[in-house]
Amino acid sequence: MDTPSLKDIVKSAEFRFNKALGQNFISDKNLLDAIVADSGVTGEDTVVEIGTGGGTLTRALAAVAKRVYSFEVDENLKKVLSVSLQGVENAEVIFRDVLKMSDAGIRDIAGDGFKVVANLPYYITTPLVMRFLESDLGVQSLTVMVQQEVADRFVAKPNTADYAAITLAIEMHGSAAVTRRVSRNMFYPVPNVDSAVVRIDVNGTKLAGENRELVHKLVRAAFAMRRKTLANNLSVAFNIDKQTATDRIVSAGFSPLVRGEALSLDDYVALSRLF
Ligand code: SAM
């Protein structure tokens, strides 16, 4: 027997969407399969999904992956999921807030070494991506549906308006690419923004031997006040006088008036060696 449509399941379970939890679900089978293809998940892979929702992406992932652990905060979805995930043997839904769990807690459930796939509530995008990138869990990649403007920031180039501290924070851990743009009309209910899928392939040895914390601190400082020069921002964040900050910037090979948005990750690494 075919699984009933998501709309029918939601209706018969009398499920009420919770806007505050970013509940905009996807039911289009082609789009779900495309996201799974974008993620590069194969039969060898364990997947950690964040935000099970109606379970449609969970089902599509389970059809390809070895095993799926899907985290969801809203227990009101239990009735919906008991129907939508009926017969899916290799997926488990865990009703917990993944942002409040330790690495050890996640490892106890999903083990070490997995791919993260998520159609995210937009307000947790950045903390969630950084939580997994900075974890010690052997995350191989993250494939995330995010608001289009956020996707543009994730993959921006230096000297563009979208280039931000988060661009460099992601680049410190791997490489990001937008795999597809997704119209708001593909979601149910329809949100008021368009989305994009971004895949980040993690490279655990990136910045090996460098002081990662210091590079991160420099990047955060450099973008703290975007309209100020790098020297200004660094003198505030590192509690040094402006001349000392300028001298270090010049020693690293940059103009004394350079702004943070002009520097690449390699440039920040070079600068970190003078701090
Ligand atoms: N994956 C489903 C899909 O693609 O249709 C649902 C996506 S919906 C945009 C996001 C889901 O994340 C919602 O069901 C929401 O309840 C859940 N959620 C919100 N905050 C969460 C958190 N901190 N941890 C886990 N799930 C969360």
Side-chain angles (χ1 to χ4, degrees):
M1 198 186 75
D2 276 352
T3 318
S5 76
L6 178 66
K7 277 187 187 171
D8 287 343
I9 299 173
V10 161
K11 207 169 154 195
S12 66
E14 296 177 345
F15 174 72
R16 312 250 313 243
F17 285 91
N18 184 337
K19 218 174 168 185
L21 289 175
Q23 291 181 336
N24 303 96
F25 296 170
I26 303 174
S27 60
D28 185 274
K29 179 82 172 81
N30 290 331
L31 176 57
L32 292 163
D33 288 343
I35 297 168
V36 176
D38 287 350
S39 73
V41 166
T42 70
E44 318 258 282
D45 292 320
T46 297
V47 174
V48 167
E49 185 193 16
I50 319 299
T52 320
T56 48
L57 185 55
T58 321
R59 181 176 264 276
L61 284 164
V64 174
K66 183 161 81 185
R67 184 136 198 101
V68 181
Y69 298 96
S70 187
F71 291 85
E72 171 59 58
V73 279
D74 187 359
E75 299 207 14
N76 293 323
L77 280 160
K78 277 184 177 164
K79 205 165 161 191
V80 169
L81 291 167
S82 70
V83 181
S84 64
L85 291 180
Q86 206 169 36
V88 179
E89 303 282 345
N90 58 338
E92 186 183 330
V93 180
I94 302 106
F95 286 95
R96 289 185 67 180
D97 183 340
V98 89
L99 282 176
K100 295 192 179 141
M101 293 176 71
S102 64
D103 277 7
I106 295 173
R107 188 179 285 113
D108 277 349
I109 292 167
D112 243 324
F114 50 77
K115 293 183 172 164
V116 174
V117 180
N119 171 15
L120 292 176
Y122 294 142
Y123 60 93
I124 62 167
T125 302
T126 302
L128 194 120
V129 166
M130 291 316 298
R131 192 252 169 277
F132 279 100
L133 283 179
E134 288 173 347
S135 80
D136 198 17
L137 288 164
V139 174
Q140 295 149 353
S141 65
L142 288 102
T143 302
V144 289
M145 174 86 76
V146 298
Q147 201 173 324
Q148 205 153 118
E149 290 72 17
V150 174
D152 291 338
R153 237 174 283 149
F154 280 8
V155 302
K157 299 283 174 243
N159 283 317
T160 62
D162 289 325
Y163 194 59
I166 185 70
T167 319
L168 284 152
I170 289 174
E171 209 186 328
M172 282 173 63
H173 297 277
S175 52
V178 172
T179 55
R180 73 187 56 245
R181 307 256 166 200
V182 182
S183 157
R184 68 191 71 187
N185 297 314
M186 300 303 286
F187 297 84
Y188 164 64
V190 177
N192 50 16
V193 289
D194 292 313
S195 292
V197 177
V198 180
R199 172 164 152 186
I200 304 166
D201 288 317
V202 177
N203 175 353
T205 58
K206 215 165 182 179
L207 299 203
E210 302 294 342
N211 185 338
R212 195 185 279 266
E213 270 310 302
L214 178 57
V215 176
H216 207 167
K217 186 176 174 192
L218 277 170
V219 166
R220 277 197 306 264
F223 286 87
M225 290 174 287
R226 224 184 148 105
R227 292 159 77 171
K228 301 260 182 192
T229 62
L230 183 60
N232 258 320
N233 275 324
L234 295 189
S235 75
V236 173
F238 287 84
N239 204 16
I240 50 178
D241 61 66
K242 203 176 150 205
Q243 190 54 51
T244 307
T246 305
D247 290 347
R248 292 181 193 175
I249 289 166
V250 172
S251 300
F254 309 110
S255 146
L257 294 177
V258 74
R259 285 178 201 281
E261 67 210 49
L263 269 58
S264 68
L265 180 60
D266 286 346
D267 293 337
Y268 280 104
V269 171
L271 191 58
S272 74
R273 295 183 188 137
L274 298 173
F275 272 76

